[in-house]
Amino acid sequence: MHQPLAHPTLAVFASDKGPGDAERSSIMSQAGSYLARRGARVLCLAERGTLPIPLITAVRAAGGEAAVVADASIVLPPALSDVPIEVISDPTERLARIALQTDAYIGLPGSLASVSSLFTAWTAARQAGMARPVVLLNKNRAFEAMRGYAADVLSHGLRGYDRVIQFADSVEDVWVRAARMIEECGGR
């Protein structure tokens, strides 16, 4: 069995707002609990009023550590008032802060807003020379279009793309793939 990194910081992108996967709140809860029990620190990007409350709540309930990097629109609910939040008004600085603190990016099924935030954060980090691996939970085929894009487009323009972005079918597989990719990349 592969031994994962002891305490990685994972930027988890998830949203429970807007159209998308009907199970996303339960997926966030399952992912938050599982990642926290494995010792991961979960970092969330919260922008434009979108805060993955079920994810953060599950991380904390499982005894894990969660933190938020946010724009000024985010106000933590009273139940999450002790979660560390760093408000950064400049979007470029927010993304750089996420990249500096993160070992890998995790995408959970959610809305187009969460996928857009993940892609923007990932490309900004790559452009700044802080490439981070990405694992997408493809539950209910949520990222099937992106899987096709990766195979058809990224495979031609990004050498070793399969070591940079991978797709998982379960939360457990997300953890295994992220840990392996972080180890191969040498972490932050």
Side-chain angles (χ1 to χ4, degrees):
M1 177 93 189
H2 183 263
Q3 285 298 324
L5 186 65
H7 298 287
T9 297
L10 305 174
V12 180
F13 293 81
S15 171
D16 61 357
K17 296 214 187 294
D21 194 314
E23 295 179 52
R24 59 188 161 193
S25 288
S26 66
I27 292 169
M28 279 190 253
S29 295
Q30 180 188 7
S33 294
Y34 191 87
L35 296 173
R37 287 193 311 266
R38 297 304 174 280
R41 175 179 181 254
V42 173
L43 183 62
C44 299
L45 176 64
E47 299 176 306
R48 298 178 296 278
T50 301
L51 177 67
I53 293 172
L55 174 71
I56 296 168
T57 302
V59 168
R60 295 176 66 236
E65 181 184 348
V68 177
V69 174
D71 67 14
S73 73
I74 302 300
V75 176
L76 294 178
L80 300 179
S81 63
D82 61 339
V83 171
I85 183 170
E86 186 174 358
V87 176
I88 302 172
S89 59
D90 181 65
T92 303
E93 290 178 27
R94 249 190 329 275
L95 296 176
R97 185 71 177 146
I98 293 278
L100 285 170
Q101 295 183 43
T102 300
D103 294 299
Y105 295 121
I106 306 298
L108 300 180
S111 68
L112 185 55
S114 60
V115 173
S116 177
S117 292
L118 168 64
F119 182 75
T120 303
W122 180 68
T123 55
R126 287 188 63 78
Q127 289 172 349
M130 296 182 282
R132 302 288 185 258
V134 175
V135 181
L136 301 170
L137 177 58
N138 197 30
K139 186 167 178 117
N140 299 330
R141 300 173 53 90
F143 294 110
E144 205 60 30
M146 291 182 83
R147 178 180 264 172
Y149 174 82
D152 294 343
V153 178
L154 285 182
S155 63
H156 299 289
L158 182 60
R159 184 182 315 244
Y161 82 97
D162 56 325
R163 288 178 297 195
V164 177
I165 183 168
Q166 293 191 1
F167 299 85
D169 295 318
S170 68
V171 173
E172 296 82 2
D173 193 28
V174 166
W175 172 254
V176 170
R177 289 174 185 271
R180 186 179 315 122
M181 292 169 71
I182 291 167
E183 188 176 281
E184 288 172 3
C185 294
R188 274 176 271 163

